[in-house]
């Protein structure tokens, strides 16, 4: 029951998408409309999707039977003739499990409804577990979370550190000693529901794109934790890259005389920006916190300026400890990027911290399931 993560194809369905099963695609068009725009009548759905009334009625009938959508009655403003019945997504008809494996000391997860709202939470302590012991903990956490909801579970999404391929196999996650670990396949076998696994930064950008306050103009989410990595949504698609390593800006060298990095090179962005390294510098005797943060922010800006110049991004979202990221660091990064790019590149650019806070990976993991199973995001 392994299913592919929604990478390399548009996250949101469009009218031009013809190669997939058309009924499933048409259903996604209607669900997407209800998911993004809220309640609509059958006539509204027909108009916005370009599908015939007959096709829409047929699909709606099936979704009503499934319980995925519900009839909400007529809008208050309709006066003449037979008022149209509004349809809405039943956000609690089915639940989704989202799991975040990116912390160093624990795995966290939640039960979410279709609106991305957390219904219940659970976590397991890692206690240094790696390899198959760590996989067993993911299985325990997922099983426990599934038992915490009485609703049917649409699927399980997981944001994992490391490089993850499109079948949900973790190619390489050094901190967990995972190499070629078929995490999605093993979880799907145990749990009996579809499972989607993606890199935590890619998961975070999906969370921000769907449930954060982002638009559609090009979004980069920079995850700053034990390591540093980014996820990008461009033109409505998650950017995967040639070998699945898009967004690995943490290992771009910013200081050739700097410290040795976990990747064996010297002076990667991660060696100045990763949380443990940054905290250590702030704790040094006589350190001027504002000055240290501004200096690191400038190095971040130097690394990001070519990305902004190249892609004309709309938003850069910094995700991690806000006491470190939101202040002199962000201001210096913002200033540096603007100083190093043409005004047209950075004019509409917004650099901010995530509105989803620590939940960004869990919420994004839920989006993996919504996109993979319902075609909505
Ligand atoms: Zn490195």
């Amino acid at each position: 029951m392994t299913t592919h993560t929604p990478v390399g194809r548009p996250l949101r369905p469009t009218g031009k998408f013809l190669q997939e099963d058309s009924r499933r695609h048409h259903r996604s068009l209607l669900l997407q409309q209800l998911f993004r725009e809220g309640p609509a009548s059958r006539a509204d759905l027909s108009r916005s999707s370009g599908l015939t009334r007959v096709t829409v009625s047929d699909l709606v009938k099936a979704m009503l039977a499934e319980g995925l959508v519900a009839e909400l009655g007529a809008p208050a403003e309709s006066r003449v003739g037979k008022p149209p019945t509004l349809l809405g997504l039943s956000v609690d008809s089915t639940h989704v499990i989202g799991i975040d494996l990116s912390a160093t000391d624990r795995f966290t997860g939640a039960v979410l409804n279709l609106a991305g709202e957390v219904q219940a939470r659970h976590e397991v302590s890692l206690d240094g577990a790696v390899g198959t012991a760590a996989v067993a903990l993911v299985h325990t956490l997922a099983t426990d979370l599934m038992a915490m909801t009485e609703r049917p579970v649409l699927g399980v999404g997981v944001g994992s550190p490391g490089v993850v391929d499109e079948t949900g196999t973790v190619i390489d996650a050094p901190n967990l000693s995972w190499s070629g670990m078929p995490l999605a396949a093993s979880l799907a076998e145990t749990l009996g529901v579809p499972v989607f696994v993606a890199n935590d930064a890619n998961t975070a950008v999906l969370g921000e794109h769907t449930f954060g306050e982002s638009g559609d103009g090009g979004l980069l989410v920079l995850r700053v934790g034990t390591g540093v990595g980014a996820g990008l949504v461009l033109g409505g698609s998650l950017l995967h890259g040639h070998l699945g390593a898009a967004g690995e800006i943490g290992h771009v060298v910013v200081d050739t005389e700097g410290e040795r990095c976990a990747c064996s090179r010297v002076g990667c962005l991660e060696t100045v920006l990763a949380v443990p390294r940054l905290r250590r510098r702030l704790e040094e005797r006589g350190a001027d916190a504002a000055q240290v943060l501004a200096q690191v922010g400038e190095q971040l800006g130097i690394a990001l300026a070519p990305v902004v110049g190249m892609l004309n991004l709309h938003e850069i979202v910094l995700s991690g400890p806000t006491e470190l990221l939101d202040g002199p660091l962000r201001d210096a990064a913002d200033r540096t990027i603007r100083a190093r790019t043409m005004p047209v590149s950075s004019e509409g650019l917004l650099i901010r911290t995530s509105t989803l806070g620590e939940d960004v990976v869990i919420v994004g993991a839920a989006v993996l399931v919504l996109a993979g199973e319902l075609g909505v995001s």
Side-chain angles (χ1 to χ4, degrees):
M1 206 184 278
T2 309
T3 6
H4 288 208
T5 49
V7 290
R9 63 176 170 79
L11 294 164
R12 291 172 183 167
T14 66
K16 293 178 213 139
F17 207 71
L18 297 173
Q19 61 265 45
E20 259 190 11
D21 164 47
S22 68
R23 188 177 166 86
R24 189 177 162 89
H25 172 58
H26 290 160
R27 191 175 101 119
S28 295
L29 284 175
L30 306 189
L31 285 171
Q32 180 71 12
Q33 162 86 9
L34 298 173
F35 183 70
R36 297 304 313 178
E37 316 294 337
S41 68
R42 288 171 178 79
D44 295 334
L45 290 172
S46 170
R47 226 176 352 260
S48 64
S49 65
L51 300 173
T52 67
R53 298 268 190 125
V54 175
T55 304
V56 169
S57 290
D58 183 40
L59 288 163
V60 166
K61 197 175 157 195
M63 292 191 291
L64 283 168
E66 273 181 77
L68 208 50
V69 300
E71 290 190 326
L72 307 173
E77 68 268 23
S78 61
R79 288 179 300 265
V80 286
K82 185 169 173 276
T85 303
L86 286 183
L87 300 154
L89 195 64
S90 300
V91 295
D92 283 301
S93 58
T94 170
H95 283 161
V96 174
I97 307 297
I99 292 177
D100 177 3
L101 309 182
S102 67
T104 48
D105 59 338
R106 67 214 143 96
F107 292 156
T108 58
V111 176
L112 300 100
N113 67 10
L114 299 183
E117 295 158 348
V118 171
Q119 308 296 302
R121 292 175 188 277
H122 190 45
E123 62 177 56
V124 290
S125 176
L126 212 47
D127 291 327
V130 292
T132 52
V135 173
L137 283 176
V138 184
H139 279 241
T140 303
L141 178 61
T143 306
D144 289 353
L145 282 163
M146 281 183 65
M148 290 170 78
T149 173
E150 314 220 306
R151 308 280 174 182
V153 171
L154 186 64
V156 174
V158 182
S160 168
V163 177
V164 183
D165 78 8
E166 61 170 20
T167 70
T169 290
V170 182
I171 303 299
D172 186 33
N175 293 341
L176 292 167
S177 298
W178 288 351
S179 173
M181 183 67 76
L183 190 61
S186 81
L187 281 170
E189 200 185 326
T190 303
L191 305 171
V193 296
V195 177
F196 302 84
V197 181
N199 164 271
D200 64 317
N202 285 341
T203 309
V205 79
L206 290 178
E208 197 65 43
H209 180 250
T210 299
F211 290 116
E213 287 167 7
S214 83
D216 249 337
L219 168 70
L220 182 155
V221 172
L222 187 79
R223 291 269 300 155
V224 180
T226 318
V228 172
L232 286 136
V233 170
L234 296 175
S237 295
L238 178 65
L239 193 72
H240 194 54
H242 175 48
L243 297 175
E248 289 291 349
I249 197 164
H251 298 284
V252 167
V253 173
V254 294
D255 180 5
T256 50
E257 322 244 284
E259 289 182 40
R260 177 79 51 188
C261 182
C263 75
S264 87
R265 286 164 324 121
V266 164
C268 295
L269 179 62
E270 189 166 296
T271 65
V272 295
L273 186 57
V275 171
R277 305 245 193 183
L278 196 48
R279 286 208 203 281
R280 202 190 319 137
R281 266 188 72 195
L282 291 170
E283 281 158 14
E284 275 169 18
R285 212 142 56 97
D288 177 338
Q291 202 182 350
V292 168
L293 292 169
Q295 193 201 346
V296 171
E298 188 184 339
Q299 287 173 300
L300 173 61
I302 290 169
L304 286 177
V307 179
V308 170
M310 182 70 82
L311 300 176
N312 190 201
L313 297 172
H314 176 216
E315 285 176 288
I316 294 176
V317 174
L318 306 178
S319 162
T322 44
E323 77 277 12
L324 296 177
L325 301 177
D326 200 10
L329 191 151
R330 189 191 54 150
D331 294 344
D334 191 304
R335 202 165 47 239
T336 306
I337 290 170
R338 287 178 209 284
R340 287 176 172 243
T341 53
M342 288 215 299
V344 68
S345 302
S346 51
E347 224 158 59
L349 177 69
L350 199 66
I351 304 178
R352 59 176 175 88
T353 48
S354 174
T355 51
L356 296 170
E358 289 300 299
D359 275 345
V360 69
V361 174
I362 281 175
V363 170
V367 175
L368 288 174
V369 178
L370 294 178
E373 285 301 295
L374 301 181
V376 301
S377 64

